[in-house]
Amino acid sequence: MPGITREEVAHLARLARLELKPEELDHFAGQLDDIIGAVARVSEVADQDVPPTSHPLPLTNVMRADEVRPSLTPEQALSGAPAQEQQRFKVPQILGED
Amino acid sequence: MTTTTDLVSYEDALASYDPVMGLEVHVELGTKTKMFCGCSTELGAEPNSQTCPTCLGLPGSLPVVNATGVESAVRIGLALNCEIAEWCRFARKNYFYPDMPKNFQTSQYDEPIAFNGYLDVQLEDGETFRVEIERAHMEEDTGKSTHIGGATGRIHGAQHSLLDYNRAGIPLIEIVTKPIVGAGERAPEVAKAYVRELRELIKALGVSEARMEMGQMRCDVNLSLMPKGGDRFGTRSETKNVNSLRSVERAARFEIQRHAAVLGSGGTIVQETRHFHEDTGSTTSGRVKEEAEDYRYFPEPDLVPVAPSREWVEELRARLPELPLVRRTRLLEEWGISTTDMQAILNAGALDPIVTTIEAGADAASARKWWMGELARSANESGKALDELAITPEQVARVTELVSSGDLNDKLARQVIEGVLAGEGTPDEVVDKRGLKVVSDEGALTAAVDEAIAGNPGIADKIRGGKVAAAGALVGAVMKATRGQADAARVKELILEKLGVSEG
Amino acid sequence: MTDNVNIIKLTAAETAEKIASGELTAVQVAEAHLARIEAVDEKVHAFLHVDREGALAQARAVDEKRERGEKLGPLAGVPLALKDIFTTEGVPTTVGSKILEGWIPPYDATLTKRLKAADVVILGKTNMDEFAMGSSTENSAFGPTGNPWDLTRIPGGSGGGSSAALASFQAPLAIGTDTGGSIRQPAAVTGTVGVKPTYGAVSRFGMVAFSSSLDQGGPCARTVLDAALLHEVIAGHDPLDSTSIDEPVPQVVEAARNGSVAGMRIGVVKQFRGEGYQAGVIQRFDESVALLKELGAEIVELDCPSFDLALSAYYLIAPSECSSNLARFDGLRYGLRTGDDGGHSAEEVTSLTREAGFGPEVKRRIMLGTYALSSGYYDAYYGSAQKVRTLIKREFDRSFEQVDVIVSPTTPTTAFAIGERADDPMAMYLADLCTIPTNLAGNAAMSLPCGLAPEDNLPVGLQIIAPVMKDDRLYKVGAAVEAAFVEKWGHPLLEEAPSL
Ligand SMILES: [Mg+2]
Ligand SMILES: [Zn+2]
């Protein structure tokens, strides 16, 4: 079924925000192809009429009351920030939607 | 940004095409805490002071669903005549954006909590249009970015950005319509009426204040055109985050004209997001995406399914408040007013103040008169909404009470209101401080009447001669002399009595 | 005064008793272990961070509590090695990744809080495969850990640091996390005990997520009873974890104190042997089954055909969830940031940071998961994998109608050499062949030593699998097996490990 191309790997890397090096693209193309080839067997059950299990336990309706709990202090919140300014996380210029 | 866009006239556009609209409205719920953590949602807090490991997306943190968020979603769904899912899940919508701490939005995908409903909306002329609802689902808001270094905080030209995550995780309900077809030239009006009706409904439910100017309610307008009589939808544009009723209407109108121009000149519409500009009433293209979005949705593994029991849903249904359209129709009948009157009341945002004023003891006609007259004027002048004026419906009701008891006449009542608005105190305090009381002392009145007759012999003669209408001039003189504090009706009576004429 | 060598050889239960009775102080015990770490960890590399000051402060607090006559927890003063995947307020947490190097969490995981509340002394944070992805601890950004039985071999993974710390007597207790076998496989290859509790039994709040629907924290120890004592401390409902089970914790300590298999029906799954299984592993496993029979159990053969698809389903589900869970590591709010030189946008900095901060296995799984979830492939891959999960669950359910527990080898082979499978992801993935079905179904499992493989003299693990929330059965059976083996060998298996 698969046959993952270098271009597909590049596309996936963009989606996953990984600035892969050219040699990584080739390397991963081969490896992903191998792995997908090996695990694609799961599609043997694709047409079986079984419900999917996304969660091991059949829990439902786990909720909390709408009550305020203490937040972190701004200092704690920002404690790991690579850069900060005006009590905010400082990040390089954002491209995209205005 | 200097982009000129070719447009065709609205009439020409509608002559050749039928507009198809899809409206996506995001409503920020007014819960005390965020959707998936216990951080406060209070506005105006210091940056990053209402964040925790969960809403900051710190490693190891986990979400827990806000029960009130779910309840609000179900109530909105019920009010929109939706079916409520017996079992549904949250999903992760995966995409990277700096204002989204986890780089996925916890949302709902193919299992919304509410689906398949409708909302009847009323147009200016009273005609009702049914907008069908595709779904209403729960999700979370993003943080806020401030762009530094560019012009007026815009992203373009900014050197860097600053992020505040206080808003990240605030519960949102996204309400999506089915394609709205058949509105024809009234499409922009339908869009506006829908968003207004939805806002009223949200407010009536008490789940959000739904203030569009504060971003608590935001509308995306998706629009396409199909050739008149056709049945295949055209390519749509998505105008994002339109945040006033007027803008919703204008954005739809603009896009109709723009699409028609593009299609008319043989061009094709690109599926893209567009931004609406309040100043020009136009839209401009957003970022062109090189690759189609692929959100890689999958069920949120950190949360378990939501399965609202039928008993609970019915209980919530039974407790729904009277919905806005039903209420308006009832009031219209009770008050005996026309659709146009009601529309004017709505446009002025006067419905709730009027109703509260009536509840506080005023009669319906007076309540309407004051809110739609004096107070609407005052609001207009000061550029405020009616509910932002410094007078409460209870105070307006007190003024009408003073009028009906004869303590004030209309003119004095206006002064009282002016005083209240100016912060001089309650109506009674203003009456006291300004000494505004109808002069009911007959002796003083008689003296003033005599004085007026003596000072205007010509007019007095005319009245004696049977020209009763001329009495108005003398009444005016008396009122002036008493600084408006006289009961005009009594003054007229006294004048006619003195001059020996009776009122036909 | 008991000397350090004797202290570090004590079990957790014995240590707690001696501290409670005043025979030892918690500080003495902590110091003995810190000295041991100092002496051997350069060779083993079990720890990424030793919190000497924090450990001694905790130990002092225990001693003071005791002096004041306050009630002590069942493991008060017992040292523990914490896998570096749980957040610890004020103490670095790296998850074995460069992307979190230097990050100091502003909050404690629920498990960390429970340990502290139980007066357990946390010695430090242990090495692991980056983001718990791996079966050898070679994927740690901070260098591999050696197996105390043979330092040129892997200690298992991802929790190799925790298992190696136990096997080299640097700590009597450790915490692991098990997504596809990361507690049990390290336990098996180091001759220690590791338990993956029922999914939802131990809070995941503050445990850095790899694959949310599979991850489960659990106890690691040198004896079954010690594991049970730790299990009781860390398990229980947590309102901060929506997937946490709101039910009483099974009576695991009582079960561990009353080991027995008499009258039990024990299943052997026919899919858990065959190609890829080392002869010595199968030999020790067969002996274990024979032992169980001798001890009074009835052995039932089970057929679970969908188990053959478990590994495939796992390598779609786990990467899919991880591709999303790891998206938050973007260089903007915490951790590593690369490329912020004024010339790159936030988007580019994120891509450069992730490229520089993640190791090859993490990237491989992120790419794999991104692929499996992407439009057009979801149904064939992720969707089918979820169906396989249903089938596996059903086969477990059917099996547990016939048996009380299931046994199998924990891993198909003993510890392999460091570097041996590094370039062959598929070969590496086979290490989890027997452990993965349990993660997919959510039930409980334990690995405990069942001898050395004759061909390489390395430990072999016996896996015991119990139904959901029947974790006590693991301890009942495990304690019986352990007692029988120790009696047969004349000493605990670890006595045969080389002294470092
Ligand atoms: Mg949305
Ligand atoms: Zn929060």
Side-chain angles (χ1 to χ4, degrees), chain C residues 250-273:
Chain C
Q251 298 288 307
V252 292
V253 172
E254 184 174 319
R257 292 194 197 279
N258 296 288
S260 160
V261 296
M264 271 195 187
R265 292 156 63 89
I266 293 180
V268 174
V269 176
K270 108 181 173 194
Q271 278 74 16
F272 284 144
R273 67 195 294 138

mmCIF file of all heavy atoms in Angstrom, chain C residues 250-273:
data_model
loop_
_atom_site.group_PDB
_atom_site.id
_atom_site.type_symbol
_atom_site.label_atom_id
_atom_site.label_comp_id
_atom_site.label_asym_id
_atom_site.label_seq_id
_atom_site.Cartn_x
_atom_site.Cartn_y
_atom_site.Cartn_z
ATOM 1 N N PRO C 250 -7.389 -1.609 44.566
ATOM 2 C CA PRO C 250 -7.390 -3.027 44.970
ATOM 3 C C PRO C 250 -6.392 -3.280 46.116
ATOM 4 O O PRO C 250 -5.392 -2.576 46.230
ATOM 5 C CB PRO C 250 -6.961 -3.759 43.701
ATOM 6 C CG PRO C 250 -7.258 -2.814 42.581
ATOM 7 C CD PRO C 250 -7.133 -1.436 43.142
ATOM 8 N N GLN C 251 -6.681 -4.268 46.924
ATOM 9 C CA GLN C 251 -5.859 -4.540 48.120
ATOM 10 C C GLN C 251 -4.564 -5.235 47.729
ATOM 11 O O GLN C 251 -4.377 -6.428 47.980
ATOM 12 C CB GLN C 251 -6.657 -5.431 49.078
ATOM 13 C CG GLN C 251 -7.928 -4.764 49.576
ATOM 14 C CD GLN C 251 -7.628 -3.648 50.556
ATOM 15 O OE1 GLN C 251 -6.910 -3.843 51.543
ATOM 16 N NE2 GLN C 251 -8.125 -2.450 50.289
ATOM 17 N N VAL C 252 -3.652 -4.484 47.163
ATOM 18 C CA VAL C 252 -2.443 -5.108 46.602
ATOM 19 C C VAL C 252 -1.452 -5.549 47.667
ATOM 20 O O VAL C 252 -0.791 -6.581 47.524
ATOM 21 C CB VAL C 252 -1.760 -4.171 45.582
ATOM 22 C CG1 VAL C 252 -2.625 -4.009 44.348
ATOM 23 C CG2 VAL C 252 -1.453 -2.804 46.174
ATOM 24 N N VAL C 253 -1.348 -4.789 48.757
ATOM 25 C CA VAL C 253 -0.370 -5.156 49.790
ATOM 26 C C VAL C 253 -0.808 -6.444 50.472
ATOM 27 O O VAL C 253 -0.006 -7.376 50.677
ATOM 28 C CB VAL C 253 -0.192 -4.018 50.809
ATOM 29 C CG1 VAL C 253 0.663 -4.480 51.978
ATOM 30 C CG2 VAL C 253 0.428 -2.792 50.133
ATOM 31 N N GLU C 254 -2.096 -6.503 50.759
ATOM 32 C CA GLU C 254 -2.600 -7.719 51.378
ATOM 33 C C GLU C 254 -2.369 -8.923 50.466
ATOM 34 O O GLU C 254 -1.954 -9.994 50.908
ATOM 35 C CB GLU C 254 -4.087 -7.555 51.678
ATOM 36 C CG GLU C 254 -4.614 -8.753 52.415
ATOM 37 C CD GLU C 254 -6.053 -8.571 52.852
ATOM 38 O OE1 GLU C 254 -6.379 -7.464 53.306
ATOM 39 O OE2 GLU C 254 -6.817 -9.536 52.707
ATOM 40 N N ALA C 255 -2.591 -8.718 49.171
ATOM 41 C CA ALA C 255 -2.373 -9.812 48.214
ATOM 42 C C ALA C 255 -0.905 -10.224 48.204
ATOM 43 O O ALA C 255 -0.579 -11.415 48.191
ATOM 44 C CB ALA C 255 -2.812 -9.369 46.821
ATOM 45 N N ALA C 256 -0.002 -9.220 48.237
ATOM 46 C CA ALA C 256 1.433 -9.535 48.196
ATOM 47 C C ALA C 256 1.880 -10.266 49.463
ATOM 48 O O ALA C 256 2.844 -11.023 49.445
ATOM 49 C CB ALA C 256 2.236 -8.245 48.020
ATOM 50 N N ARG C 257 1.182 -10.027 50.551
ATOM 51 C CA ARG C 257 1.543 -10.720 51.801
ATOM 52 C C ARG C 257 0.935 -12.118 51.871
ATOM 53 O O ARG C 257 1.257 -12.892 52.761
ATOM 54 C CB ARG C 257 1.056 -9.909 53.010
ATOM 55 C CG ARG C 257 1.801 -8.585 53.202
ATOM 56 C CD ARG C 257 1.521 -8.022 54.583
ATOM 57 N NE ARG C 257 1.864 -6.608 54.699
ATOM 58 C CZ ARG C 257 3.086 -6.142 54.911
ATOM 59 N NH1 ARG C 257 4.105 -7.002 55.023
ATOM 60 N NH2 ARG C 257 3.319 -4.848 55.010
ATOM 61 N N ASN C 258 0.037 -12.399 50.955
ATOM 62 C CA ASN C 258 -0.643 -13.701 50.975
ATOM 63 C C ASN C 258 -0.572 -14.376 49.607
ATOM 64 O O ASN C 258 -1.586 -14.761 49.041
ATOM 65 C CB ASN C 258 -2.110 -13.510 51.373
ATOM 66 C CG ASN C 258 -2.250 -12.974 52.783
ATOM 67 O OD1 ASN C 258 -2.009 -13.692 53.746
ATOM 68 N ND2 ASN C 258 -2.580 -11.705 52.897
ATOM 69 N N GLY C 259 0.658 -14.468 49.101
ATOM 70 C CA GLY C 259 0.846 -15.065 47.781
ATOM 71 C C GLY C 259 0.348 -16.501 47.715
ATOM 72 O O GLY C 259 0.578 -17.284 48.620
ATOM 73 N N SER C 260 -0.368 -16.793 46.639
ATOM 74 C CA SER C 260 -0.841 -18.165 46.448
ATOM 75 C C SER C 260 -1.446 -18.292 45.056
ATOM 76 O O SER C 260 -2.049 -17.346 44.534
ATOM 77 C CB SER C 260 -1.923 -18.492 47.492
ATOM 78 O OG SER C 260 -2.696 -19.597 47.057
ATOM 79 N N VAL C 261 -1.278 -19.461 44.454
ATOM 80 C CA VAL C 261 -1.943 -19.707 43.174
ATOM 81 C C VAL C 261 -2.815 -20.956 43.269
ATOM 82 O O VAL C 261 -3.382 -21.393 42.270
ATOM 83 C CB VAL C 261 -0.937 -19.891 42.012
ATOM 84 C CG1 VAL C 261 -0.161 -18.606 41.794
ATOM 85 C CG2 VAL C 261 -0.009 -21.071 42.254
ATOM 86 N N ALA C 262 -2.906 -21.492 44.464
ATOM 87 C CA ALA C 262 -3.651 -22.737 44.631
ATOM 88 C C ALA C 262 -5.086 -22.552 44.152
ATOM 89 O O ALA C 262 -5.759 -21.607 44.545
ATOM 90 C CB ALA C 262 -3.631 -23.153 46.099
ATOM 91 N N GLY C 263 -5.520 -23.426 43.273
ATOM 92 C CA GLY C 263 -6.897 -23.386 42.798
ATOM 93 C C GLY C 263 -7.151 -22.363 41.712
ATOM 94 O O GLY C 263 -8.262 -22.247 41.211
ATOM 95 N N MET C 264 -6.112 -21.608 41.362
ATOM 96 C CA MET C 264 -6.310 -20.588 40.330
ATOM 97 C C MET C 264 -6.250 -21.190 38.943
ATOM 98 O O MET C 264 -5.567 -22.181 38.710
ATOM 99 C CB MET C 264 -5.218 -19.530 40.428
ATOM 100 C CG MET C 264 -5.559 -18.408 41.342
ATOM 101 S SD MET C 264 -4.414 -17.061 41.000
ATOM 102 C CE MET C 264 -4.879 -15.970 42.313
ATOM 103 N N ARG C 265 -6.952 -20.561 38.032
ATOM 104 C CA ARG C 265 -6.856 -20.945 36.620
ATOM 105 C C ARG C 265 -5.976 -19.903 35.939
ATOM 106 O O ARG C 265 -6.248 -18.709 35.998
ATOM 107 C CB ARG C 265 -8.241 -21.001 36.003
ATOM 108 C CG ARG C 265 -9.074 -22.163 36.578
ATOM 109 C CD ARG C 265 -10.547 -21.919 36.465
ATOM 110 N NE ARG C 265 -10.963 -21.817 35.065
ATOM 111 C CZ ARG C 265 -11.344 -22.857 34.319
ATOM 112 N NH1 ARG C 265 -11.350 -24.072 34.834
ATOM 113 N NH2 ARG C 265 -11.721 -22.681 33.075
ATOM 114 N N ILE C 266 -4.913 -20.399 35.329
ATOM 115 C CA ILE C 266 -3.929 -19.491 34.737
ATOM 116 C C ILE C 266 -3.812 -19.772 33.239
ATOM 117 O O ILE C 266 -3.617 -20.920 32.826
ATOM 118 C CB ILE C 266 -2.567 -19.636 35.465
ATOM 119 C CG1 ILE C 266 -2.739 -19.127 36.910
ATOM 120 C CG2 ILE C 266 -1.467 -18.884 34.721
ATOM 121 C CD1 ILE C 266 -1.509 -19.194 37.763
ATOM 122 N N GLY C 267 -3.938 -18.718 32.442
ATOM 123 C CA GLY C 267 -3.937 -18.876 31.000
ATOM 124 C C GLY C 267 -2.559 -18.702 30.377
ATOM 125 O O GLY C 267 -1.735 -17.932 30.860
ATOM 126 N N VAL C 268 -2.342 -19.472 29.312
ATOM 127 C CA VAL C 268 -1.132 -19.309 28.502
ATOM 128 C C VAL C 268 -1.609 -19.059 27.073
ATOM 129 O O VAL C 268 -2.327 -19.877 26.502
ATOM 130 C CB VAL C 268 -0.251 -20.575 28.577
ATOM 131 C CG1 VAL C 268 0.925 -20.461 27.612
ATOM 132 C CG2 VAL C 268 0.242 -20.796 30.001
ATOM 133 N N VAL C 269 -1.246 -17.886 26.539
ATOM 134 C CA VAL C 269 -1.732 -17.500 25.212
ATOM 135 C C VAL C 269 -0.811 -18.054 24.145
ATOM 136 O O VAL C 269 0.411 -17.837 24.190
ATOM 137 C CB VAL C 269 -1.823 -15.963 25.103
ATOM 138 C CG1 VAL C 269 -2.242 -15.541 23.704
ATOM 139 C CG2 VAL C 269 -2.801 -15.423 26.151
ATOM 140 N N LYS C 270 -1.399 -18.742 23.197
ATOM 141 C CA LYS C 270 -0.557 -19.449 22.229
ATOM 142 C C LYS C 270 0.195 -18.478 21.313
ATOM 143 O O LYS C 270 1.252 -18.811 20.798
ATOM 144 C CB LYS C 270 -1.423 -20.478 21.507
ATOM 145 C CG LYS C 270 -1.802 -20.270 20.126
ATOM 146 C CD LYS C 270 -2.679 -21.425 19.680
ATOM 147 C CE LYS C 270 -3.189 -21.096 18.290
ATOM 148 N NZ LYS C 270 -4.283 -21.926 17.849
ATOM 149 N N GLN C 271 -0.312 -17.249 21.189
ATOM 150 C CA GLN C 271 0.371 -16.260 20.336
ATOM 151 C C GLN C 271 1.676 -15.734 20.951
ATOM 152 O O GLN C 271 2.487 -15.136 20.262
ATOM 153 C CB GLN C 271 -0.572 -15.075 20.060
ATOM 154 C CG GLN C 271 -1.578 -15.300 18.944
ATOM 155 C CD GLN C 271 -2.721 -16.254 19.341
ATOM 156 O OE1 GLN C 271 -2.936 -16.521 20.517
ATOM 157 N NE2 GLN C 271 -3.401 -16.795 18.354
ATOM 158 N N PHE C 272 1.876 -15.936 22.258
ATOM 159 C CA PHE C 272 3.068 -15.398 22.918
ATOM 160 C C PHE C 272 4.252 -16.360 22.870
ATOM 161 O O PHE C 272 4.931 -16.561 23.873
ATOM 162 C CB PHE C 272 2.752 -15.062 24.386
ATOM 163 C CG PHE C 272 1.951 -13.801 24.583
ATOM 164 C CD1 PHE C 272 1.008 -13.736 25.597
ATOM 165 C CD2 PHE C 272 2.147 -12.672 23.790
ATOM 166 C CE1 PHE C 272 0.274 -12.572 25.823
ATOM 167 C CE2 PHE C 272 1.416 -11.510 24.003
ATOM 168 C CZ PHE C 272 0.470 -11.457 25.016
ATOM 169 N N ARG C 273 4.517 -16.973 21.751
ATOM 170 C CA ARG C 273 5.740 -17.755 21.581
ATOM 171 C C ARG C 273 5.943 -17.996 20.097
ATOM 172 O O ARG C 273 5.102 -17.621 19.300
ATOM 173 C CB ARG C 273 5.709 -19.064 22.375
ATOM 174 C CG ARG C 273 4.671 -20.091 21.897
ATOM 175 C CD ARG C 273 4.448 -21.172 22.918
ATOM 176 N NE ARG C 273 5.618 -22.002 23.131
ATOM 177 C CZ ARG C 273 6.019 -22.415 24.345
ATOM 178 N NH1 ARG C 273 5.338 -22.058 25.425
ATOM 179 N NH2 ARG C 273 7.072 -23.186 24.480
#
